[in-house]
Amino acid sequence: NNRFEVSILLVCIFCMFFVLTAFANDKPHTNWGAVLKVPVEQSKAIDQVLINWGNWIKETHPLDASDKNNLEYLSITKGEPSGGHIYYVIVEVYPTNAGLVNHQRIYRETSGTEKYKDVFSKLRSVAGPYFIGGATQRHSVYKLVPSKHH
C-alpha cells in the first residue's frame, strides 16, 4: 500500500530529524519547519489538517514565556496559487533546544492517544505527500517578535 509506505517514510524522517536535532552539532536547534507544495484543489483539506495539528500544539505545549520549554511561536502560512499549486510554510520556534526536545517528548506521549491519533493520521496521509523533502527549516536567519522587542 503506497499510503502506508509514505506514512512509514514520514515517521522515519520525523524521528531522524529529532535524533539529528538533539545530537548533530554544537549549534542549538531551536526551531523546526517545513514547506509543502500542494495542488490547489487540495488546499482546503490541507488547511484543516494543519489547523488541527496547530491546535494539538496549542493544547499540549507550554505556552507561558516563563517556562523555558515554551513554544515561542508557530506560524503556518500559505501563498497564492502558482502553477496549479499553493506553497505552505510552517515555522515552529522555541527559545531553547530544551523546548524543541520537549516538543519531541510531547509528540511521543500524545500522538497515539485517542484524542490526537486522528490528527497525526491525517497529517501523514493527507498532508504528508506534499511535504518537500530537504526543505526542513532548522535555523532562524532573522527573527523579530514585535511584542518582545520595543
Side-chain angles (χ1 to χ4, degrees):
N1 183 328
N2 193 27
R3 284 186 175 229
F4 178 74
E5 291 172 359
V6 169
S7 294
I8 294 298
L9 178 62
L10 287 173
V11 169
C12 290
I13 290 170
F14 192 70
C15 291
M16 285 182 356
F17 162 75
F18 280 112
V19 168
L20 290 172
T21 298
F23 304 109
N25 61 38
D26 294 336
K27 185 174 184 177
H29 294 280
T30 60
N31 58 309
W32 177 86
V35 178
L36 291 80
K37 181 180 179 183
V38 177
V40 171
E41 63 273 6
Q42 293 296 318
S43 69
K44 286 187 185 192
I46 298 299
D47 287 356
Q48 191 58 58
V49 165
L50 294 177
I51 289 167
N52 291 344
W53 174 75
N55 285 333
W56 163 76
I57 287 180
K58 182 179 177 182
E59 294 168 8
T60 61
H61 287 54
L63 302 177
D64 184 353
S66 66
D67 186 325
K68 69 177 180 170
N69 294 321
N70 72 309
L71 171 69
E72 190 169 48
Y73 70 86
L74 169 65
S75 172
I76 303 171
T77 61
K78 74 179 191 180
E80 296 298 323
S82 174
H85 291 89
I86 295 176
Y87 288 87
Y88 288 76
V89 177
I90 301 169
V91 178
E92 181 180 341
V93 176
Y94 300 87
T96 65
N97 180 258
L100 188 57
V101 171
N102 190 50
H103 166 80
Q104 176 185 5
R105 179 192 58 77
I106 292 167
Y107 169 78
R108 283 192 314 267
E109 292 176 358
T110 64
S111 63
T113 64
E114 195 62 36
K115 184 172 182 178
Y116 297 112
K117 67 181 177 184
D118 190 53
V119 169
F120 288 94
S121 172
K122 287 184 178 168
L123 184 64
R124 287 185 293 272
S125 66
V126 177
Y130 305 114
F131 278 82
I132 298 175
T136 301
Q137 318 292 301
R138 291 196 175 97
H139 305 284
S140 294
V141 173
Y142 180 84
K143 176 175 66 171
L144 174 64
V145 182
S147 62
K148 290 187 176 188
H149 305 284
H150 303 288

